[in-house]
Amino acid sequence: GAVVSQHPSRVICKSGTSVKIECRSLDFQATTMFWYRQFPKQSLMLMATSNEGSKATYEQGVEKDKFLINHASLTLSTLTVTSAHPEDSSFYICSAPPGTSAGETQYFGPGTRLLVL
Amino acid sequence: SQKIEQNSEALNIQEGKTATLTCNYTNYSPAYLQWYRQDPGRGPVFLLLIRENEKEKRKERLKVTFDTTLKQSLFHITASQPADSATYLCALEVTGGGNKLTFGTGTQLKVEL
């Protein structure tokens, strides 16, 4: 099946710093990628839709100036958590469908564990 | 309000039995419903997709049913094995949603020897 990678897998940073997380589709092109956040024992919450060549679309309640998304190419989307605070500590996961049709399965990255001290 | 609810309690079953997980939704009209498996500290892995006009889908030991009248999907694992222990998530996609998935709360399954 298709593979999606994320980097880094884990990151620890100090409060107030910015952290960049990369999501790559390794063997297919993705015009759209999705970013989720998952707190312990909870489900995945969609944060934003990353669109290649255009601005990201953010879900209600997600600050676009805090979570910067750049879909630099058809295989790479980045999420930058700016001025991170301890409450931003979470598991961040990206996904990408291999096509643009409705009803596509999605391939998920392995996730990035962010801890803000 | 819109909700997607799965069994909140962990499901413990004995090896060899059939596990049945439930996904109930309100105030959605999904065109597609998907089931994913998630292991601790990992991203979800796709298992099955069922369309709104399909009643049932099978893949090896897995079976999914979709009842749009009851607004419910059931996910069955037959001849369960300890390796099936994981959290199982249902996810909905609505028509015109641009492949966006909304996930349920997840059910943790433990298959014991």
Side-chain angles (χ1 to χ4, degrees):
Chain A
V3 177
V4 173
S5 71
Q6 278 183 246
H7 178 80
S9 57
R10 285 177 175 270
V11 57
I12 301 173
C13 69
K14 292 183 180 178
S15 189
T17 60
S18 294
V19 173
K20 182 189 280 189
I21 303 169
E22 292 185 349
C23 177
R24 291 182 187 272
S25 55
L26 296 186
D27 49 1
F28 65 98
Q29 293 183 330
T31 55
T32 304
M33 290 182 174
F34 299 95
W35 286 97
Y36 296 84
R37 182 166 51 180
Q38 186 175 35
F39 292 107
K41 304 283 187 193
Q42 294 188 26
S43 191
L44 281 75
M45 295 300 296
L46 180 65
M47 297 175 67
T49 303
S50 175
N51 303 298
E52 192 271 335
S54 64
K55 289 184 181 179
T57 308
Y58 291 82
E59 295 300 301
Q60 195 171 9
V62 177
E63 299 174 59
K64 65 178 193 289
D65 294 331
K66 181 166 182 64
F67 298 100
L68 300 179
I69 291 171
N70 182 22
H71 202 129
S73 73
L74 285 171
T75 59
L76 174 64
S77 174
T78 59
L79 168 69
T80 301
V81 183
T82 62
S83 186
H85 288 100
E87 57 265 30
D88 298 322
S89 300
S90 189
F91 192 49
Y92 292 85
I93 312 173
C94 68
S95 75
T100 56
S101 303
E104 294 272 359
T105 62
Q106 294 207 17
Y107 297 98
F108 283 80
T112 296
R113 178 79 58 193
L114 170 63
L115 178 61
V116 185
L117 301 175
Chain B
S1 63
Q2 293 179 315
K3 282 185 190 176
I4 307 171
E5 293 180 316
Q6 298 183 244
N7 315 64
S8 56
E9 300 289 326
L11 183 62
N12 294 338
I13 64 165
Q14 204 172 14
E15 182 180 22
K17 302 290 186 186
T18 296
T20 298
L21 286 67
T22 306
C23 176
N24 293 301
Y25 57 92
T26 53
N27 293 322
Y28 280 102
S29 294
Y32 307 91
L33 191 147
Q34 303 188 28
W35 283 87
Y36 288 80
R37 168 186 173 138
Q38 186 177 27
D39 291 286
R42 312 290 285 270
V45 174
F46 170 76
L47 296 174
L48 278 169
L49 177 151
I50 189 164
R51 294 172 170 76
E52 61 178 333
N53 59 355
E54 295 177 318
K55 298 286 186 197
E56 183 179 296
K57 205 82 170 279
R58 290 175 187 260
K59 179 182 173 184
E60 296 172 354
R61 293 186 296 114
L62 309 180
K63 184 177 87 171
V64 171
T65 62
F66 194 9
D67 188 326
T68 54
T69 302
L70 289 179
K71 296 187 183 296
Q72 181 181 78
S73 175
L74 298 179
F75 177 77
H76 306 273
I77 306 175
T78 58
S80 59
Q81 305 164 1
D84 295 326
S85 299
T87 295
Y88 291 85
L89 301 158
C90 67
L92 306 184
E93 179 184 344
V94 297
T95 303
N99 296 128
K100 270 172 47 171
L101 293 179
T102 305
F103 280 85
T105 47
T107 298
Q108 185 178 6
L109 172 67
K110 281 188 183 175
V111 181
E112 297 162 336
L113 291 169

